[in-house]
Amino acid sequence: MASPFSPYQPQLRSPQLSMEQTSREQQVPSPEEQAWAGPEALCPGWLEDEVPDGDIPEDAGDPDSATHAYKELQSALQQEGLPRTLDRSAEPRTGFGPLDMTVCILGSPTAFLPVLLEGGTRCPGAMVLCLSPAWASRVPSETSPGSWSLLLSRGVSFEAGGHSALETFAPPRRANYVMGTFGPGCAEGDWVGELARDLDCPTGGSVPLVRRLEDPLVTRWVLAAHANLPVPPTLAFILGTRGDLPADPEPPGVRLVRLEDPQGQEDLVREEVGAFLGGTAMEPYSQVSVRPAGWRWRGTGARSTHGKEEGAAVAQAVGARLRALREDDGVLLEALVPTARLPAPPPRSPAPRLPVALRICTLVCRSWGDQPQLCQVTCGVGRAEAPVRHGAALPQGLDSSLQQWGVVAPGQRQALATRLRVAAEAAMAALVAAEAELSPQQRGGARARTDILGVDFLLACVDDALELVALSTNSQRCLETCLLAEAMGQAVGQPPGDLPRLLAEALLHRAQCHLVEGKDILLIGAGGVSKSFVWEAARDYGLKIHLVESDPEHFAAELVETFLPYDSREHRRDEEHAERVTELVRSRGLRPHACLSYWDDCVVLAALVCQRLGLRGSPPAAVRVAKQKSRTHQHLQRCRGGRPPPAAFAVPCRRLRSHGDVERAAGAVPFPAVAKLEFGAGGVGVKLVENAGQCHAHAARLWRDLRDDADHPGIGLGWGNAMLLMEYVPGTEHDVDLVVFDGRLAGAWVSDNGPTRLPAFLETAACLPSCLPADRQAQLVRAALQCCLACGLRDGVFNVELKLGPGGPRLLEINPRMGGFYLRDWIREVYGADLLLAAVLVALGSPPVLPARPVARGHLAGVMCLGSEHGPVLSGGLEALRVLQNRGLVRLNRLFEETAGDGEYEEPWLSVACGGETRREACLRLLGLCQALGIDSPRYPVEHFLSHFK
């Protein structure tokens, strides 16, 4: 069969593992060694030079090497026990459009293989491997002048179950996200870097960014100055201003000497070297290294080591390097920091114990909400006089390495692991922030940024205490080492780790963020101040919002692409409104990609408009069932299929439209019971009634005071003021926020509510994550999902309120839209997932990529503030709260511009929350804040409201 590949073949190498001795003056490796060598020589037992891999002969019959790369891929799949790639290239695939996701990996067939396989399981067909420059082309971008779009005419796509296929795409498939092997020394680096340059889609790296990461002077400067991480004491000589270095003052541990001309600088060099060797920073160390620094010197081995007392020899070595200095290079004089030596456990044999060195390799990715997340840690251990290099020793786990090192107490090992996580994530945050200050040209494109970062650390002893010293960063080596450790663990029966999943989720998430850019979204109902985040998020995601809103003077009119004023407040006429809104949209020539609503009053209207425009969404009938509370429970009571059936979660209730209905309901619903508005929102008018008389009195007041939307906007009175009486359910109250796509659960988050001030049910406090054990949270999620599906809600983001008692979950109500108040903000802060983005993706018909195993980054506890209780207190304290919010000490969610309602119809005005590493810490901070500001009082006992969160 004729080869399906084009004629260019990059040379590929397979990692080999070995040890290599080092000497006082190291030899320059061969070109093969340079391709895999590392740039650092930081201490005895720590050198970054990697061992050369075995050469693979060129395929003379295929100079493009795509055939060989393809064979490498098949070999790797076989080693994983997976089927060979199916060749479907003879039948071009068609039909890829602007709503189809494509994550393109350029270059090596093995570097990202576990990530490709995981991504193929999460989003079948979305991950595409490009093995040759002839498989892709660059065309001028239609959306970003000066940028380019990457089009794939051929690629290997990955499906669920480890299946892959070689495919051709006609017309070519547009990339939504690009990642590749950009690193220096990668055989395919040149064409990968050229294809990925200046793209209009997000790019997880670039040649310029990788060169910054591989330059120890740049990275140490950033890590010391902005991440506050210890680095080896370093004296650097550079030519000119070196525009790639930050303009900050010199950070601790790094001294920079700028030279206009390296010739004739002997006196200055001797003076600087003498001051460095005799300075306080060098007191703990006895040896130094002299070497050139810069990305092109990575792995050359051009270094020498000296005793600290050999000042003349050190100055001579620095001078020799300076004579060959280029403008973008430097010469480093650095301390050789020895690995900490701890009291080791008694040896098992009388044989002498040799000193060893430890290298800690961390891999960090840019995760949800652009927050750094530590993905994996491995360690390399070797003899102290020999280098421990990436690819030169089999990796092992951090915990076992620390035990081997003599850190016996589990608490100490856990504390070191926590410090390592904080340090690694701080390193990435600092480097990402520094990248943001660069110009598009310096980054290799306006959309290029580092998404995966390796950071190497040394466990040193500083002032008799263990200290993590940041040694260097890299773009590829830590990834390869960590993936090797992952494969080794699975070979001995360990369950699959999180690394491929975390990386695949990060790449797919960035691709989905790009997928929604420029999409036309028809939004029904603007809401109030509590929905202000919608307009900020629309700007950040690049959405074009076309807003249908009843208030012609709404503040959002200036914040959207198109403002369509239309009065739809009388929602009992939503069928008529839907026809007119559809006509209005078509008359403006709008062709929205999706239609949805975040505002409770407008969810049925949005479903009707979706139906008329042929857009994706839950059926109007299903949304009507969920919107009308009594109808929800009565419908579920008829759903008897399943184990348990949805009927098990329903609560007896009756609709109240007259006092006669109250009498009939009193005979069917046991007291105490809850009386509330049939279409209500925000907890307004909800009350515990002990008997029929109290129910009559409450209904009379409510029907008198709340007749239509003008009496109290935004609580559902556009649907009328009918009520319902439902059985009171004891237990704790919880919110479950669900993302459902095509009837399948894509994500779920459980939060807890504090006790209400009976007889009213206005929310007082909340916390996230839930205090409940995992099995009880699972009960709530399953009950919420079954109730939604039973009502016909198969696509969307839904908020479900439940009570949890000894007998399990019972439903309170389903809100067929994204959770209100603070929920979107809190979930995004704690877990990184954005409910708003998920709702847009579902409406576009794209399955949202969400954390498969959500891990909380911290805890939040919050309390609601009422105008009646806290208005005078907060009139002067609100500014103080804003200051605290700007410092990251509190989270504020303004629900109304001013206090809403009064008396028994009052709504919360403001949510004030504090975070912490633990729930207890968050609650204590919040309680202290509330006591200091006067939010806590005998009438509003915050300590009692928080007492349930244990």
Side-chain angles (χ1 to χ4, degrees):
M1 184 178 68
S3 171
F5 304 102
S6 46
Y8 172 88
Q9 160 109 0
Q11 184 179 0
L12 300 174
R13 298 182 174 89
S14 302
Q16 294 183 353
L17 305 171
S18 62
M19 293 291 293
E20 179 179 289
Q21 299 294 325
T22 186
S23 62
R24 183 177 183 82
E25 188 73 29
Q26 303 214 3
Q27 302 295 319
V28 177
S30 66
E32 288 80 6
E33 290 174 306
Q34 294 180 24
W36 284 86
E40 269 64 279
L42 297 172
C43 67
W46 180 282
L47 290 179
E48 288 280 347
D49 299 294
E50 290 132 358
V51 179
D53 297 310
D55 288 337
I56 295 175
E58 292 280 354
D59 186 347
D62 182 12
D64 177 63
S65 175
T67 300
H68 181 70
Y70 189 78
K71 290 178 181 178
E72 286 286 308
L73 173 62
Q74 304 316 302
S75 175
L77 291 171
Q78 184 180 18
Q79 291 180 18
E80 295 288 335
L82 299 172
R84 294 175 61 86
T85 300
L86 179 65
D87 186 354
R88 294 202 296 247
S89 59
E91 300 179 4
R93 285 193 63 185
T94 62
F96 289 100
L99 296 179
D100 292 298
M101 185 164 60
T102 302
V103 173
C104 175
I105 305 295
L106 299 171
S108 167
T110 56
F112 289 92
L113 182 57
V115 182
L116 288 162
L117 294 169
E118 175 67 21
T121 298
R122 294 293 301 273
C123 293
M127 308 291 291
V128 181
L129 174 64
C130 177
L131 297 174
S132 166
W135 292 13
S137 60
R138 288 159 51 91
V139 298
S141 173
E142 298 175 357
T143 57
S144 302
S147 297
W148 301 80
S149 296
L150 185 67
L151 303 182
L152 299 175
S153 57
R154 178 168 295 185
V156 179
S157 61
F158 290 78
E159 307 284 340
H163 294 276
S164 57
L166 175 65
E167 299 183 299
T168 55
F169 309 113
R173 189 171 173 178
R174 186 181 303 270
N176 301 115
Y177 177 85
V178 174
M179 174 64 83
T181 48
F182 303 107
C186 296
E188 64 282 343
D190 291 342
W191 67 263
V192 168
E194 179 59 27
L195 282 180
R197 177 178 53 83
D198 294 324
L199 295 181
D200 60 359
C201 69
T203 310
S206 68
V207 170
L209 290 180
V210 166
R211 288 178 176 178
R212 283 177 58 85
L213 294 180
E214 301 290 348
D215 187 331
L217 176 55
V218 173
T219 54
R220 282 188 194 170
W221 188 290
V222 173
L223 296 182
H226 299 291
N228 297 318
L229 294 177
V231 298
T234 303
L235 173 64
F237 296 88
I238 64 170
L239 283 182
T241 59
R242 276 287 297 272
D244 58 335
L245 288 173
D248 313 286
E250 289 180 357
V254 181
R255 163 78 174 147
L256 187 63
V257 179
R258 301 179 187 269
L259 304 175
E260 295 299 329
D261 184 351
Q263 305 302 323
Q265 303 288 339
E266 292 82 0
D267 292 341
L268 175 62
V269 169
R270 281 194 295 270
E271 180 182 340
E272 290 287 350
V273 169
F276 177 77
L277 296 177
T280 57
M282 279 297 300
E283 287 180 0
Y285 310 112
S286 60
Q287 287 189 302
V288 293
S289 168
V290 177
R291 62 188 175 105
W295 64 268
R296 64 170 51 85
W297 294 97
R298 173 181 180 264
T300 61
R303 59 168 60 84
S304 60
T305 59
H306 309 267
K308 183 172 64 172
E309 69 281 357
E310 303 172 17
V314 173
Q316 184 178 3
V318 171
R321 296 295 179 198
L322 284 175
R323 285 190 286 273
L325 195 63
R326 302 186 188 183
E327 283 193 7
D328 52 350
D329 292 334
V331 175
L332 295 191
L333 170 60
E334 58 195 359
L336 295 181
V337 181
T339 305
R341 298 199 176 177
L342 305 177
R348 296 183 179 181
S349 71
R353 183 185 297 274
L354 297 176
V356 292
L358 173 70
R359 155 217 236 104
I360 303 175
C361 164
T362 65
L363 190 71
V364 193
C365 74
R366 191 193 299 244
S367 186
W368 308 97
D370 275 352
Q371 294 297 310
Q373 180 172 4
L374 179 63
C375 298
Q376 189 160 327
V377 178
T378 65
C379 296
V381 177
R383 291 173 57 176
E385 73 275 11
V388 183
R389 305 184 177 104
H390 280 286
L394 289 172
Q396 60 190 57
L398 176 65
D399 195 70
S400 64
S401 299
L402 292 177
Q403 288 188 65
Q404 177 184 344
W405 220 253
V407 185
V408 179
Q412 287 183 310
R413 296 198 302 274
Q414 181 58 47
L416 279 170
T418 300
R419 287 171 55 191
L420 181 64
R421 175 183 61 79
V422 172
E425 292 178 353
M428 184 167 198
L431 287 165
V432 165
E435 285 181 5
E437 301 296 323
L438 301 177
S439 68
Q441 182 179 5
Q442 290 174 313
R443 291 199 304 271
R447 307 300 298 273
R449 65 186 196 184
T450 298
D451 283 343
I452 299 175
L453 175 70
V455 189
D456 287 319
F457 291 91
L458 174 71
L459 189 62
C461 186
V462 178
D463 297 330
D464 297 326
L466 290 178
E467 186 72 82
L468 289 166
V469 177
L471 297 171
S472 62
T473 64
N474 60 80
S475 63
Q476 200 78 31
R477 285 163 288 157
C478 284
L479 172 64
E480 294 166 351
T481 301
C482 288
L483 288 175
L484 173 61
E486 179 93 4
M488 289 167 54
Q490 293 187 45
V492 294
Q494 291 184 3
D498 290 331
L499 178 59
R501 175 183 62 81
L502 293 172
L503 297 183
E505 287 178 350
L507 272 56
L508 290 166
H509 174 63
R510 278 204 72 191
Q512 287 204 319
C513 288
H514 179 63
L515 184 72
V516 304
E517 285 183 25
K519 296 300 183 289
D520 294 283
I521 309 298
L522 183 63
L523 190 63
I524 311 296
V529 172
S530 66
K531 304 299 182 186
S532 295
F533 64 83
V534 172
W535 323 119
E536 299 169 7
R539 179 198 61 215
D540 294 341
Y541 289 125
L543 302 175
K544 296 180 180 178
I545 300 293
H546 309 284
L547 175 62
V548 178
E549 165 56 32
S550 298
D551 179 6
E553 304 297 325
H554 197 283
F555 69 86
E558 304 298 324
L559 305 175
V560 297
E561 188 82 8
T562 309
F563 184 65
L564 304 170
Y566 176 80
D567 190 353
S568 64
R569 288 175 295 177
E570 178 49 73
H571 288 288
R572 285 169 290 196
R573 297 166 51 199
D574 269 355
E575 293 280 354
E576 176 186 336
H577 296 324
E579 286 292 342
R580 293 186 177 178
V581 168
T582 303
E583 293 171 3
L584 182 60
V585 168
R586 288 171 175 161
S587 69
R588 292 289 192 97
L590 301 177
R591 301 184 64 182
H593 297 97
C595 172
L596 68 161
S597 179
Y598 303 114
W599 190 238
D600 200 76
D601 279 2
C602 298
V603 291
V604 174
L605 177 57
L608 290 166
V609 173
C610 280
Q611 186 181 62
R612 283 161 173 75
L613 293 176
L615 300 173
R616 192 182 188 103
S618 292
V623 180
R624 287 185 187 277
V625 168
K627 176 61 182 168
Q628 186 174 345
K629 296 175 176 57
S630 66
R631 192 173 172 186
T632 304
H633 287 274
Q634 290 164 3
H635 172 80
L636 292 175
Q637 286 168 353
R638 295 191 293 270
C639 297
R640 298 288 178 177
R643 300 181 61 184
F649 312 121
V651 177
C653 63
R654 291 293 185 273
R655 191 178 190 190
L656 308 178
R657 286 173 291 186
S658 67
H659 287 283
D661 290 338
V662 173
E663 287 298 325
R664 287 184 287 273
V669 177
F671 289 98
V674 177
K676 58 182 177 180
L677 287 169
E678 176 80 291
F679 297 93
V684 175
V686 185
K687 187 173 183 179
L688 182 71
V689 291
E690 300 286 349
N691 50 54
Q694 290 185 8
C695 186
H696 277 292
H698 180 57
R701 286 193 303 274
L702 192 147
W703 287 332
R704 179 195 65 213
D705 299 336
L706 303 178
R707 291 165 296 180
D708 55 38
D709 194 68
D711 292 327
H712 200 310
I715 63 166
L717 294 175
W719 294 93
N721 64 352
M723 297 176 61
L724 78 154
L725 185 69
M726 65 184 302
E727 178 183 337
Y728 173 72
V729 180
T732 55
E733 187 171 340
H734 307 271
D735 280 71
V736 179
D737 288 274
L738 302 175
V739 179
V740 183
F741 184 86
D742 199 22
R744 180 181 61 85
L745 181 66
W749 297 268
V750 179
S751 55
D752 300 346
N753 293 332
T756 59
R757 296 196 299 168
L758 295 176
F761 285 87
L762 208 59
E763 184 174 328
T764 58
C767 74
L768 184 76
S770 171
C771 307
L772 297 171
D775 59 335
R776 301 306 299 264
Q777 292 188 53
Q779 286 183 321
L780 289 167
V781 171
R782 178 50 62 95
L785 179 62
Q786 283 190 243
C787 289
C788 287
L789 296 180
C791 290
L793 300 174
R794 296 178 54 83
D795 284 293
V797 177
F798 311 119
N799 171 257
V800 185
E801 300 175 22
L802 303 105
K803 280 284 196 74
L804 183 64
R810 302 292 296 278
L811 177 69
L812 296 180
E813 59 187 61
I814 298 174
N815 298 304
R817 41 80 182 162
M818 181 178 68
F821 288 169
Y822 47 80
L823 285 169
R824 182 254 181 180
D825 176 54
W826 281 24
I827 290 171
R828 191 163 176 254
E829 173 68 14
V830 173
Y831 293 105
D834 190 348
L835 296 183
L836 183 146
L837 176 63
V840 170
L841 287 165
V842 172
L844 289 170
S846 180
V849 176
L850 295 165
R853 297 191 199 74
V855 176
R857 297 168 175 163
H859 293 259
L860 283 174
V863 65
M864 290 294 198
C865 296
L866 304 176
S868 60
E869 296 287 346
H870 309 114
V873 171
L874 292 181
S875 59
L878 193 57
E879 188 57 38
L881 284 172
R882 290 196 181 103
V883 171
L884 292 174
Q885 178 174 239
N886 293 335
R887 293 170 56 190
L889 299 177
V890 302
R891 297 193 75 80
L892 303 180
N893 291 96
R894 192 82 173 266
L895 309 180
F896 293 96
E897 190 66 40
E898 51 190 34
T899 57
D902 53 17
E904 58 184 309
Y905 307 130
E906 185 176 22
E907 292 186 77
W909 172 49
L910 178 72
S911 169
V912 180
C914 290
E917 289 292 322
T918 65
R919 185 178 304 109
R920 173 179 169 78
E921 180 183 342
C923 287
L924 287 176
R925 286 180 177 174
L926 179 62
L927 180 59
L929 177 71
C930 291
Q931 289 173 341
L933 293 178
I935 297 173
D936 178 52
S937 69
R939 284 175 46 84
Y940 205 80
V942 172
E943 185 172 9
H944 168 65
F945 298 151
L946 300 178
S947 64
H948 285 208
F949 303 149
K950 295 179 180 178

